[in-house]
Amino acid sequence: MSNTLQPTHAKDMAIRVYQAFAVDTLSPTEILAAAAVAPKGSQDPVDQALVGSLKANRPDLTPEYVDAAHFELATPERRYSVAHTDTADIIRGDMDSVVEASVSNRAQRALLRKNARAMHKLGWRCLGVAVAEKDLLGNVGDMRLQGFVALAPVSAGKLAADVNDNPSDWVRVELWPAALRWQHWINLFLIILLTLTGYYIMDPFFGQQPGQDTGYLMGWIRFAHIASGFAWIVLALWRVWLLCVSKQRQNQWRSLWPIYSKEDAKNILRTAQHYLFLGKEEPPLYIGHNGLQQISYSGIYGLCILQIISGMALYALAKPATWYWDIVRLPVDWFGVPWVRLGHALIMFIIWVFVVIHVYLVIRADSVEKYSGLSAMLNGGLWLHRGGNPVDGPRIG
């Protein structure tokens, strides 16, 4: 989002609208449109920047102006402005003040502040936006927190080069952060390495024939397997850390379990019918994983935890009898070495069944549903139709 406004006090500078972030029902550009409501003839640089950005990014939306009598400027005591339109009251200003003056839940506030902190670190100022809709009789509803618009001063020349005057019907939605994408591909590499070395330990399929000197081949294979296993544990801890700090709602702890209402369960059923070619209607739109995918991924996470536990139990067999290794060896004490080894091997095969199905569904979604999920795991973003209403996010566009 950008515009080419030049403030009167610095002709070589301009205000750039970087992005709008949504936490409730409005889409990012609808939040931008709400924030851009300004008094007629306003020369305020922020007003002009917001209006210019709206015109550049959404020429189909007409900026709305109100009479000065219907626009209350911010004051030192009330650090936000209030615009009274025919359809809504809109407040815009200091984010903490807007949050305090509006209705939101804890998850929305946490998500908003986490993303705002990231913007502040980059030098962007975040304007909080909240909207209270009016009914046909003019009654004003609750003032609901919608999100923020991030903006900052930049050089006018740089801003002009960034302006996009040709918006399309597709909107890029940033989804997977770089850390998660690195985790995904490192995980794939480690699973392949663990599988090859683990299968060789179970059934040596190359090298010297029985009766011949094999040297230290099995030792090196076992070393590679153990080293990969510990790297996998570090990767798992990194994934847990990302679940705690991620700014995207699709990557947080809550996303691990997708069923919070009857509607969520119905959406999973509709998605399953679509995958099995049994449903005639389009499946529900998700930005991140749909409910069926998330249940599968969470189940695989559980199997991976069991795989780590069983692998560590087998590794502990060669370790001294200390309290720590005695605890790690408990699965072997409970079930015996053969059953732990069998379970360890079976989980490996189950993971590969999942990998095959996962690859098929990703390719299918890209080709049939035009989801761009494969490229999203490379570049972090999806291209979705403007106006879509995803289950797990605000309206697209």
Side-chain angles (χ1 to χ4, degrees), residues 273-308:
Q273 290 174 334
H274 178 73
Y275 282 158
L276 297 172
F277 302 100
L278 298 177
K280 295 182 179 180
E281 60 183 28
E282 288 295 317
L285 174 65
Y286 287 83
I287 297 176
H289 298 140
N290 63 50
L292 200 59
Q293 289 172 325
Q294 191 57 64
I295 289 176
S296 302
Y297 293 141
S298 297
I300 284 295
Y301 288 157
L303 282 177
C304 289
I305 292 173
L306 291 178
Q307 189 75 328
I308 290 173

PDB file of all heavy atoms in Angstrom, residues 273-308:
ATOM      1  N   GLN A 273     -15.778 -34.210   2.259  1.00  0.00           N
ATOM      2  CA  GLN A 273     -16.619 -34.536   1.109  1.00  0.00           C
ATOM      3  C   GLN A 273     -15.998 -34.016  -0.186  1.00  0.00           C
ATOM      4  O   GLN A 273     -16.038 -34.685  -1.220  1.00  0.00           O
ATOM      5  CB  GLN A 273     -18.016 -33.947   1.305  1.00  0.00           C
ATOM      6  CG  GLN A 273     -18.825 -34.628   2.397  1.00  0.00           C
ATOM      7  CD  GLN A 273     -20.145 -33.925   2.658  1.00  0.00           C
ATOM      8  OE1 GLN A 273     -20.286 -32.721   2.420  1.00  0.00           O
ATOM      9  NE2 GLN A 273     -21.126 -34.666   3.154  1.00  0.00           N
ATOM     10  N   HIS A 274     -15.401 -32.834  -0.109  1.00  0.00           N
ATOM     11  CA  HIS A 274     -14.759 -32.265  -1.298  1.00  0.00           C
ATOM     12  C   HIS A 274     -13.559 -33.105  -1.724  1.00  0.00           C
ATOM     13  O   HIS A 274     -13.372 -33.385  -2.913  1.00  0.00           O
ATOM     14  CB  HIS A 274     -14.329 -30.830  -1.004  1.00  0.00           C
ATOM     15  CG  HIS A 274     -13.609 -30.169  -2.138  1.00  0.00           C
ATOM     16  ND1 HIS A 274     -14.243 -29.755  -3.291  1.00  0.00           N
ATOM     17  CD2 HIS A 274     -12.292 -29.862  -2.304  1.00  0.00           C
ATOM     18  CE1 HIS A 274     -13.363 -29.216  -4.110  1.00  0.00           C
ATOM     19  NE2 HIS A 274     -12.176 -29.267  -3.538  1.00  0.00           N
ATOM     20  N   TYR A 275     -12.742 -33.518  -0.752  1.00  0.00           N
ATOM     21  CA  TYR A 275     -11.576 -34.337  -1.076  1.00  0.00           C
ATOM     22  C   TYR A 275     -11.976 -35.676  -1.694  1.00  0.00           C
ATOM     23  O   TYR A 275     -11.262 -36.223  -2.542  1.00  0.00           O
ATOM     24  CB  TYR A 275     -10.747 -34.594   0.186  1.00  0.00           C
ATOM     25  CG  TYR A 275      -9.884 -33.427   0.618  1.00  0.00           C
ATOM     26  CD1 TYR A 275      -9.446 -33.317   1.934  1.00  0.00           C
ATOM     27  CD2 TYR A 275      -9.505 -32.437  -0.276  1.00  0.00           C
ATOM     28  CE1 TYR A 275      -8.652 -32.253   2.342  1.00  0.00           C
ATOM     29  CE2 TYR A 275      -8.722 -31.371   0.114  1.00  0.00           C
ATOM     30  CZ  TYR A 275      -8.298 -31.283   1.428  1.00  0.00           C
ATOM     31  OH  TYR A 275      -7.517 -30.234   1.818  1.00  0.00           O
ATOM     32  N   LEU A 276     -13.115 -36.204  -1.252  1.00  0.00           N
ATOM     33  CA  LEU A 276     -13.581 -37.503  -1.751  1.00  0.00           C
ATOM     34  C   LEU A 276     -14.491 -37.363  -2.967  1.00  0.00           C
ATOM     35  O   LEU A 276     -15.076 -38.347  -3.413  1.00  0.00           O
ATOM     36  CB  LEU A 276     -14.325 -38.243  -0.632  1.00  0.00           C
ATOM     37  CG  LEU A 276     -13.482 -38.607   0.597  1.00  0.00           C
ATOM     38  CD1 LEU A 276     -14.368 -39.161   1.702  1.00  0.00           C
ATOM     39  CD2 LEU A 276     -12.392 -39.607   0.227  1.00  0.00           C
ATOM     40  N   PHE A 277     -14.603 -36.132  -3.493  1.00  0.00           N
ATOM     41  CA  PHE A 277     -15.436 -35.847  -4.666  1.00  0.00           C
ATOM     42  C   PHE A 277     -16.902 -36.214  -4.422  1.00  0.00           C
ATOM     43  O   PHE A 277     -17.610 -36.650  -5.330  1.00  0.00           O
ATOM     44  CB  PHE A 277     -14.914 -36.599  -5.902  1.00  0.00           C
ATOM     45  CG  PHE A 277     -13.488 -36.273  -6.247  1.00  0.00           C
ATOM     46  CD1 PHE A 277     -12.461 -37.131  -5.875  1.00  0.00           C
ATOM     47  CD2 PHE A 277     -13.171 -35.108  -6.914  1.00  0.00           C
ATOM     48  CE1 PHE A 277     -11.142 -36.834  -6.181  1.00  0.00           C
ATOM     49  CE2 PHE A 277     -11.857 -34.796  -7.222  1.00  0.00           C
ATOM     50  CZ  PHE A 277     -10.838 -35.657  -6.859  1.00  0.00           C
ATOM     51  N   LEU A 278     -17.353 -36.032  -3.175  1.00  0.00           N
ATOM     52  CA  LEU A 278     -18.735 -36.355  -2.827  1.00  0.00           C
ATOM     53  C   LEU A 278     -19.604 -35.111  -2.675  1.00  0.00           C
ATOM     54  O   LEU A 278     -20.826 -35.210  -2.681  1.00  0.00           O
ATOM     55  CB  LEU A 278     -18.777 -37.149  -1.511  1.00  0.00           C
ATOM     56  CG  LEU A 278     -18.063 -38.508  -1.520  1.00  0.00           C
ATOM     57  CD1 LEU A 278     -18.119 -39.141  -0.137  1.00  0.00           C
ATOM     58  CD2 LEU A 278     -18.694 -39.435  -2.558  1.00  0.00           C
ATOM     59  N   GLY A 279     -18.979 -33.964  -2.507  1.00  0.00           N
ATOM     60  CA  GLY A 279     -19.741 -32.740  -2.305  1.00  0.00           C
ATOM     61  C   GLY A 279     -19.832 -31.913  -3.573  1.00  0.00           C
ATOM     62  O   GLY A 279     -18.871 -31.807  -4.338  1.00  0.00           O
ATOM     63  N   LYS A 280     -20.988 -31.319  -3.812  1.00  0.00           N
ATOM     64  CA  LYS A 280     -21.187 -30.494  -4.998  1.00  0.00           C
ATOM     65  C   LYS A 280     -20.815 -29.035  -4.752  1.00  0.00           C
ATOM     66  O   LYS A 280     -20.474 -28.314  -5.680  1.00  0.00           O
ATOM     67  CB  LYS A 280     -22.649 -30.583  -5.454  1.00  0.00           C
ATOM     68  CG  LYS A 280     -23.068 -31.973  -5.922  1.00  0.00           C
ATOM     69  CD  LYS A 280     -24.508 -31.982  -6.400  1.00  0.00           C
ATOM     70  CE  LYS A 280     -24.913 -33.370  -6.886  1.00  0.00           C
ATOM     71  NZ  LYS A 280     -26.324 -33.401  -7.353  1.00  0.00           N
ATOM     72  N   GLU A 281     -20.887 -28.592  -3.495  1.00  0.00           N
ATOM     73  CA  GLU A 281     -20.581 -27.201  -3.203  1.00  0.00           C
ATOM     74  C   GLU A 281     -19.089 -27.013  -2.952  1.00  0.00           C
ATOM     75  O   GLU A 281     -18.360 -27.966  -2.657  1.00  0.00           O
ATOM     76  CB  GLU A 281     -21.381 -26.728  -1.991  1.00  0.00           C
ATOM     77  CG  GLU A 281     -21.103 -27.521  -0.721  1.00  0.00           C
ATOM     78  CD  GLU A 281     -21.963 -27.056   0.435  1.00  0.00           C
ATOM     79  OE1 GLU A 281     -23.069 -26.548   0.178  1.00  0.00           O
ATOM     80  OE2 GLU A 281     -21.522 -27.202   1.585  1.00  0.00           O
ATOM     81  N   GLU A 282     -18.645 -25.766  -3.096  1.00  0.00           N
ATOM     82  CA  GLU A 282     -17.240 -25.462  -2.870  1.00  0.00           C
ATOM     83  C   GLU A 282     -16.897 -25.649  -1.390  1.00  0.00           C
ATOM     84  O   GLU A 282     -17.713 -25.366  -0.511  1.00  0.00           O
ATOM     85  CB  GLU A 282     -16.940 -24.021  -3.285  1.00  0.00           C
ATOM     86  CG  GLU A 282     -16.948 -23.797  -4.783  1.00  0.00           C
ATOM     87  CD  GLU A 282     -15.840 -24.569  -5.478  1.00  0.00           C
ATOM     88  OE1 GLU A 282     -14.707 -24.580  -4.962  1.00  0.00           O
ATOM     89  OE2 GLU A 282     -16.117 -25.192  -6.521  1.00  0.00           O
ATOM     90  N   PRO A 283     -15.689 -26.119  -1.101  1.00  0.00           N
ATOM     91  CA  PRO A 283     -15.298 -26.287   0.302  1.00  0.00           C
ATOM     92  C   PRO A 283     -15.087 -24.932   0.960  1.00  0.00           C
ATOM     93  O   PRO A 283     -14.879 -23.923   0.275  1.00  0.00           O
ATOM     94  CB  PRO A 283     -13.983 -27.065   0.204  1.00  0.00           C
ATOM     95  CG  PRO A 283     -13.410 -26.639  -1.111  1.00  0.00           C
ATOM     96  CD  PRO A 283     -14.601 -26.475  -2.030  1.00  0.00           C
ATOM     97  N   PRO A 284     -15.145 -24.858   2.273  1.00  0.00           N
ATOM     98  CA  PRO A 284     -14.880 -23.587   2.952  1.00  0.00           C
ATOM     99  C   PRO A 284     -13.460 -23.110   2.676  1.00  0.00           C
ATOM    100  O   PRO A 284     -12.534 -23.916   2.543  1.00  0.00           O
ATOM    101  CB  PRO A 284     -15.093 -23.924   4.433  1.00  0.00           C
ATOM    102  CG  PRO A 284     -14.951 -25.413   4.520  1.00  0.00           C
ATOM    103  CD  PRO A 284     -15.445 -25.945   3.215  1.00  0.00           C
ATOM    104  N   LEU A 285     -13.307 -21.804   2.567  1.00  0.00           N
ATOM    105  CA  LEU A 285     -12.006 -21.208   2.267  1.00  0.00           C
ATOM    106  C   LEU A 285     -11.212 -20.993   3.553  1.00  0.00           C
ATOM    107  O   LEU A 285     -11.730 -20.449   4.524  1.00  0.00           O
ATOM    108  CB  LEU A 285     -12.205 -19.872   1.542  1.00  0.00           C
ATOM    109  CG  LEU A 285     -10.942 -19.051   1.273  1.00  0.00           C
ATOM    110  CD1 LEU A 285     -10.010 -19.784   0.311  1.00  0.00           C
ATOM    111  CD2 LEU A 285     -11.306 -17.672   0.724  1.00  0.00           C
ATOM    112  N   TYR A 286      -9.971 -21.432   3.532  1.00  0.00           N
ATOM    113  CA  TYR A 286      -9.051 -21.201   4.646  1.00  0.00           C
ATOM    114  C   TYR A 286      -7.800 -20.515   4.110  1.00  0.00           C
ATOM    115  O   TYR A 286      -7.353 -20.807   2.997  1.00  0.00           O
ATOM    116  CB  TYR A 286      -8.639 -22.518   5.315  1.00  0.00           C
ATOM    117  CG  TYR A 286      -9.706 -23.169   6.158  1.00  0.00           C
ATOM    118  CD1 TYR A 286     -10.677 -23.974   5.574  1.00  0.00           C
ATOM    119  CD2 TYR A 286      -9.739 -22.988   7.535  1.00  0.00           C
ATOM    120  CE1 TYR A 286     -11.664 -24.581   6.342  1.00  0.00           C
ATOM    121  CE2 TYR A 286     -10.716 -23.593   8.317  1.00  0.00           C
ATOM    122  CZ  TYR A 286     -11.673 -24.388   7.714  1.00  0.00           C
ATOM    123  OH  TYR A 286     -12.640 -24.981   8.485  1.00  0.00           O
ATOM    124  N   ILE A 287      -7.241 -19.622   4.909  1.00  0.00           N
ATOM    125  CA  ILE A 287      -5.949 -19.039   4.553  1.00  0.00           C
ATOM    126  C   ILE A 287      -4.842 -20.029   4.890  1.00  0.00           C
ATOM    127  O   ILE A 287      -3.960 -20.303   4.082  1.00  0.00           O
ATOM    128  CB  ILE A 287      -5.722 -17.710   5.303  1.00  0.00           C
ATOM    129  CG1 ILE A 287      -6.768 -16.680   4.884  1.00  0.00           C
ATOM    130  CG2 ILE A 287      -4.316 -17.174   5.029  1.00  0.00           C
ATOM    131  CD1 ILE A 287      -6.679 -15.378   5.650  1.00  0.00           C
ATOM    132  N   GLY A 288      -4.878 -20.557   6.096  1.00  0.00           N
ATOM    133  CA  GLY A 288      -3.898 -21.554   6.508  1.00  0.00           C
ATOM    134  C   GLY A 288      -4.431 -22.954   6.264  1.00  0.00           C
ATOM    135  O   GLY A 288      -5.065 -23.234   5.251  1.00  0.00           O
ATOM    136  N   HIS A 289      -4.192 -23.841   7.207  1.00  0.00           N
ATOM    137  CA  HIS A 289      -4.659 -25.217   7.067  1.00  0.00           C
ATOM    138  C   HIS A 289      -6.153 -25.302   7.346  1.00  0.00           C
ATOM    139  O   HIS A 289      -6.647 -24.678   8.287  1.00  0.00           O
ATOM    140  CB  HIS A 289      -3.922 -26.133   8.049  1.00  0.00           C
ATOM    141  CG  HIS A 289      -2.445 -26.177   7.818  1.00  0.00           C
ATOM    142  ND1 HIS A 289      -1.533 -26.195   8.855  1.00  0.00           N
ATOM    143  CD2 HIS A 289      -1.713 -26.194   6.674  1.00  0.00           C
ATOM    144  CE1 HIS A 289      -0.314 -26.230   8.358  1.00  0.00           C
ATOM    145  NE2 HIS A 289      -0.396 -26.229   7.044  1.00  0.00           N
ATOM    146  N   ASN A 290      -6.855 -26.081   6.535  1.00  0.00           N
ATOM    147  CA  ASN A 290      -8.248 -26.341   6.886  1.00  0.00           C
ATOM    148  C   ASN A 290      -8.289 -27.317   8.063  1.00  0.00           C
ATOM    149  O   ASN A 290      -7.260 -27.878   8.462  1.00  0.00           O
ATOM    150  CB  ASN A 290      -9.039 -26.860   5.679  1.00  0.00           C
ATOM    151  CG  ASN A 290      -8.524 -28.196   5.155  1.00  0.00           C
ATOM    152  OD1 ASN A 290      -8.340 -29.150   5.911  1.00  0.00           O
ATOM    153  ND2 ASN A 290      -8.297 -28.274   3.842  1.00  0.00           N
ATOM    154  N   GLY A 291      -9.483 -27.511   8.622  1.00  0.00           N
ATOM    155  CA  GLY A 291      -9.593 -28.322   9.829  1.00  0.00           C
ATOM    156  C   GLY A 291      -9.093 -29.738   9.651  1.00  0.00           C
ATOM    157  O   GLY A 291      -8.438 -30.302  10.539  1.00  0.00           O
ATOM    158  N   LEU A 292      -9.381 -30.339   8.493  1.00  0.00           N
ATOM    159  CA  LEU A 292      -8.949 -31.714   8.238  1.00  0.00           C
ATOM    160  C   LEU A 292      -7.428 -31.794   8.166  1.00  0.00           C
ATOM    161  O   LEU A 292      -6.809 -32.717   8.710  1.00  0.00           O
ATOM    162  CB  LEU A 292      -9.577 -32.209   6.940  1.00  0.00           C
ATOM    163  CG  LEU A 292      -9.661 -33.720   6.726  1.00  0.00           C
ATOM    164  CD1 LEU A 292     -10.463 -34.370   7.839  1.00  0.00           C
ATOM    165  CD2 LEU A 292     -10.286 -34.025   5.367  1.00  0.00           C
ATOM    166  N   GLN A 293      -6.827 -30.822   7.493  1.00  0.00           N
ATOM    167  CA  GLN A 293      -5.368 -30.792   7.424  1.00  0.00           C
ATOM    168  C   GLN A 293      -4.761 -30.628   8.813  1.00  0.00           C
ATOM    169  O   GLN A 293      -3.797 -31.318   9.165  1.00  0.00           O
ATOM    170  CB  GLN A 293      -4.919 -29.631   6.527  1.00  0.00           C
ATOM    171  CG  GLN A 293      -5.202 -29.818   5.054  1.00  0.00           C
ATOM    172  CD  GLN A 293      -4.912 -28.554   4.267  1.00  0.00           C
ATOM    173  OE1 GLN A 293      -5.122 -27.442   4.750  1.00  0.00           O
ATOM    174  NE2 GLN A 293      -4.440 -28.712   3.043  1.00  0.00           N
ATOM    175  N   GLN A 294      -5.336 -29.719   9.606  1.00  0.00           N
ATOM    176  CA  GLN A 294      -4.737 -29.442  10.903  1.00  0.00           C
ATOM    177  C   GLN A 294      -4.829 -30.629  11.836  1.00  0.00           C
ATOM    178  O   GLN A 294      -3.901 -30.897  12.613  1.00  0.00           O
ATOM    179  CB  GLN A 294      -5.395 -28.220  11.541  1.00  0.00           C
ATOM    180  CG  GLN A 294      -4.646 -27.709  12.759  1.00  0.00           C
ATOM    181  CD  GLN A 294      -3.202 -27.377  12.438  1.00  0.00           C
ATOM    182  OE1 GLN A 294      -2.921 -26.479  11.656  1.00  0.00           O
ATOM    183  NE2 GLN A 294      -2.267 -28.121  13.021  1.00  0.00           N
ATOM    184  N   ILE A 295      -5.939 -31.365  11.788  1.00  0.00           N
ATOM    185  CA  ILE A 295      -6.037 -32.578  12.601  1.00  0.00           C
ATOM    186  C   ILE A 295      -4.948 -33.565  12.197  1.00  0.00           C
ATOM    187  O   ILE A 295      -4.301 -34.200  13.040  1.00  0.00           O
ATOM    188  CB  ILE A 295      -7.433 -33.206  12.458  1.00  0.00           C
ATOM    189  CG1 ILE A 295      -8.483 -32.345  13.172  1.00  0.00           C
ATOM    190  CG2 ILE A 295      -7.454 -34.620  13.029  1.00  0.00           C
ATOM    191  CD1 ILE A 295      -9.897 -32.837  12.999  1.00  0.00           C
ATOM    192  N   SER A 296      -4.718 -33.684  10.887  1.00  0.00           N
ATOM    193  CA  SER A 296      -3.675 -34.590  10.397  1.00  0.00           C
ATOM    194  C   SER A 296      -2.301 -34.137  10.866  1.00  0.00           C
ATOM    195  O   SER A 296      -1.492 -34.945  11.349  1.00  0.00           O
ATOM    196  CB  SER A 296      -3.711 -34.655   8.869  1.00  0.00           C
ATOM    197  OG  SER A 296      -4.969 -35.090   8.404  1.00  0.00           O
ATOM    198  N   TYR A 297      -2.025 -32.835  10.741  1.00  0.00           N
ATOM    199  CA  TYR A 297      -0.715 -32.329  11.143  1.00  0.00           C
ATOM    200  C   TYR A 297      -0.503 -32.473  12.646  1.00  0.00           C
ATOM    201  O   TYR A 297       0.584 -32.849  13.097  1.00  0.00           O
ATOM    202  CB  TYR A 297      -0.567 -30.859  10.740  1.00  0.00           C
ATOM    203  CG  TYR A 297      -0.519 -30.642   9.247  1.00  0.00           C
ATOM    204  CD1 TYR A 297      -1.153 -29.561   8.656  1.00  0.00           C
ATOM    205  CD2 TYR A 297       0.160 -31.525   8.417  1.00  0.00           C
ATOM    206  CE1 TYR A 297      -1.119 -29.363   7.287  1.00  0.00           C
ATOM    207  CE2 TYR A 297       0.199 -31.339   7.051  1.00  0.00           C
ATOM    208  CZ  TYR A 297      -0.440 -30.255   6.488  1.00  0.00           C
ATOM    209  OH  TYR A 297      -0.402 -30.072   5.134  1.00  0.00           O
ATOM    210  N   SER A 298      -1.532 -32.177  13.417  1.00  0.00           N
ATOM    211  CA  SER A 298      -1.399 -32.320  14.868  1.00  0.00           C
ATOM    212  C   SER A 298      -1.192 -33.783  15.247  1.00  0.00           C
ATOM    213  O   SER A 298      -0.426 -34.096  16.169  1.00  0.00           O
ATOM    214  CB  SER A 298      -2.640 -31.757  15.571  1.00  0.00           C
ATOM    215  OG  SER A 298      -2.771 -30.362  15.324  1.00  0.00           O
ATOM    216  N   GLY A 299      -1.872 -34.692  14.526  1.00  0.00           N
ATOM    217  CA  GLY A 299      -1.650 -36.116  14.763  1.00  0.00           C
ATOM    218  C   GLY A 299      -0.228 -36.531  14.439  1.00  0.00           C
ATOM    219  O   GLY A 299       0.392 -37.318  15.174  1.00  0.00           O
ATOM    220  N   ILE A 300       0.310 -35.995  13.347  1.00  0.00           N
ATOM    221  CA  ILE A 300       1.695 -36.297  12.982  1.00  0.00           C
ATOM    222  C   ILE A 300       2.655 -35.730  14.021  1.00  0.00           C
ATOM    223  O   ILE A 300       3.670 -36.357  14.362  1.00  0.00           O
ATOM    224  CB  ILE A 300       2.008 -35.745  11.578  1.00  0.00           C
ATOM    225  CG1 ILE A 300       1.364 -36.640  10.516  1.00  0.00           C
ATOM    226  CG2 ILE A 300       3.506 -35.652  11.337  1.00  0.00           C
ATOM    227  CD1 ILE A 300       1.929 -38.051  10.466  1.00  0.00           C
ATOM    228  N   TYR A 301       2.343 -34.537  14.538  1.00  0.00           N
ATOM    229  CA  TYR A 301       3.179 -33.993  15.617  1.00  0.00           C
ATOM    230  C   TYR A 301       3.224 -34.972  16.794  1.00  0.00           C
ATOM    231  O   TYR A 301       4.282 -35.201  17.394  1.00  0.00           O
ATOM    232  CB  TYR A 301       2.632 -32.648  16.094  1.00  0.00           C
ATOM    233  CG  TYR A 301       2.835 -31.503  15.135  1.00  0.00           C
ATOM    234  CD1 TYR A 301       2.022 -30.374  15.192  1.00  0.00           C
ATOM    235  CD2 TYR A 301       3.835 -31.533  14.176  1.00  0.00           C
ATOM    236  CE1 TYR A 301       2.199 -29.312  14.313  1.00  0.00           C
ATOM    237  CE2 TYR A 301       4.018 -30.482  13.292  1.00  0.00           C
ATOM    238  CZ  TYR A 301       3.195 -29.374  13.365  1.00  0.00           C
ATOM    239  OH  TYR A 301       3.374 -28.327  12.500  1.00  0.00           O
ATOM    240  N   GLY A 302       2.053 -35.531  17.133  1.00  0.00           N
ATOM    241  CA  GLY A 302       2.008 -36.498  18.225  1.00  0.00           C
ATOM    242  C   GLY A 302       2.845 -37.731  17.929  1.00  0.00           C
ATOM    243  O   GLY A 302       3.577 -38.232  18.803  1.00  0.00           O
ATOM    244  N   LEU A 303       2.764 -38.238  16.687  1.00  0.00           N
ATOM    245  CA  LEU A 303       3.576 -39.398  16.313  1.00  0.00           C
ATOM    246  C   LEU A 303       5.066 -39.066  16.355  1.00  0.00           C
ATOM    247  O   LEU A 303       5.889 -39.901  16.750  1.00  0.00           O
ATOM    248  CB  LEU A 303       3.191 -39.871  14.911  1.00  0.00           C
ATOM    249  CG  LEU A 303       1.898 -40.682  14.789  1.00  0.00           C
ATOM    250  CD1 LEU A 303       1.624 -41.013  13.328  1.00  0.00           C
ATOM    251  CD2 LEU A 303       1.987 -41.970  15.610  1.00  0.00           C
ATOM    252  N   CYS A 304       5.415 -37.853  15.945  1.00  0.00           N
ATOM    253  CA  CYS A 304       6.825 -37.454  15.980  1.00  0.00           C
ATOM    254  C   CYS A 304       7.343 -37.409  17.418  1.00  0.00           C
ATOM    255  O   CYS A 304       8.499 -37.771  17.681  1.00  0.00           O
ATOM    256  CB  CYS A 304       7.003 -36.094  15.311  1.00  0.00           C
ATOM    257  SG  CYS A 304       6.786 -36.129  13.513  1.00  0.00           S
ATOM    258  N   ILE A 305       6.491 -36.978  18.338  1.00  0.00           N
ATOM    259  CA  ILE A 305       6.891 -36.987  19.753  1.00  0.00           C
ATOM    260  C   ILE A 305       7.134 -38.420  20.220  1.00  0.00           C
ATOM    261  O   ILE A 305       8.130 -38.712  20.905  1.00  0.00           O
ATOM    262  CB  ILE A 305       5.814 -36.299  20.612  1.00  0.00           C
ATOM    263  CG1 ILE A 305       5.765 -34.800  20.294  1.00  0.00           C
ATOM    264  CG2 ILE A 305       6.094 -36.513  22.102  1.00  0.00           C
ATOM    265  CD1 ILE A 305       4.621 -34.068  20.965  1.00  0.00           C
ATOM    266  N   LEU A 306       6.231 -39.341  19.843  1.00  0.00           N
ATOM    267  CA  LEU A 306       6.433 -40.752  20.192  1.00  0.00           C
ATOM    268  C   LEU A 306       7.700 -41.302  19.549  1.00  0.00           C
ATOM    269  O   LEU A 306       8.423 -42.110  20.158  1.00  0.00           O
ATOM    270  CB  LEU A 306       5.220 -41.575  19.746  1.00  0.00           C
ATOM    271  CG  LEU A 306       3.913 -41.341  20.499  1.00  0.00           C
ATOM    272  CD1 LEU A 306       2.803 -42.194  19.895  1.00  0.00           C
ATOM    273  CD2 LEU A 306       4.080 -41.660  21.982  1.00  0.00           C
ATOM    274  N   GLN A 307       7.984 -40.867  18.318  1.00  0.00           N
ATOM    275  CA  GLN A 307       9.190 -41.322  17.631  1.00  0.00           C
ATOM    276  C   GLN A 307      10.440 -40.852  18.369  1.00  0.00           C
ATOM    277  O   GLN A 307      11.416 -41.608  18.510  1.00  0.00           O
ATOM    278  CB  GLN A 307       9.184 -40.794  16.188  1.00  0.00           C
ATOM    279  CG  GLN A 307      10.269 -41.365  15.302  1.00  0.00           C
ATOM    280  CD  GLN A 307       9.986 -42.788  14.874  1.00  0.00           C
ATOM    281  OE1 GLN A 307       9.380 -43.564  15.605  1.00  0.00           O
ATOM    282  NE2 GLN A 307      10.428 -43.147  13.682  1.00  0.00           N
ATOM    283  N   ILE A 308      10.410 -39.618  18.842  1.00  0.00           N
ATOM    284  CA  ILE A 308      11.557 -39.100  19.601  1.00  0.00           C
ATOM    285  C   ILE A 308      11.720 -39.866  20.911  1.00  0.00           C
ATOM    286  O   ILE A 308      12.832 -40.249  21.297  1.00  0.00           O
ATOM    287  CB  ILE A 308      11.370 -37.593  19.865  1.00  0.00           C
ATOM    288  CG1 ILE A 308      11.524 -36.808  18.553  1.00  0.00           C
ATOM    289  CG2 ILE A 308      12.369 -37.095  20.899  1.00  0.00           C
ATOM    290  CD1 ILE A 308      11.184 -35.338  18.673  1.00  0.00           C
TER     291      ILE A 308
END
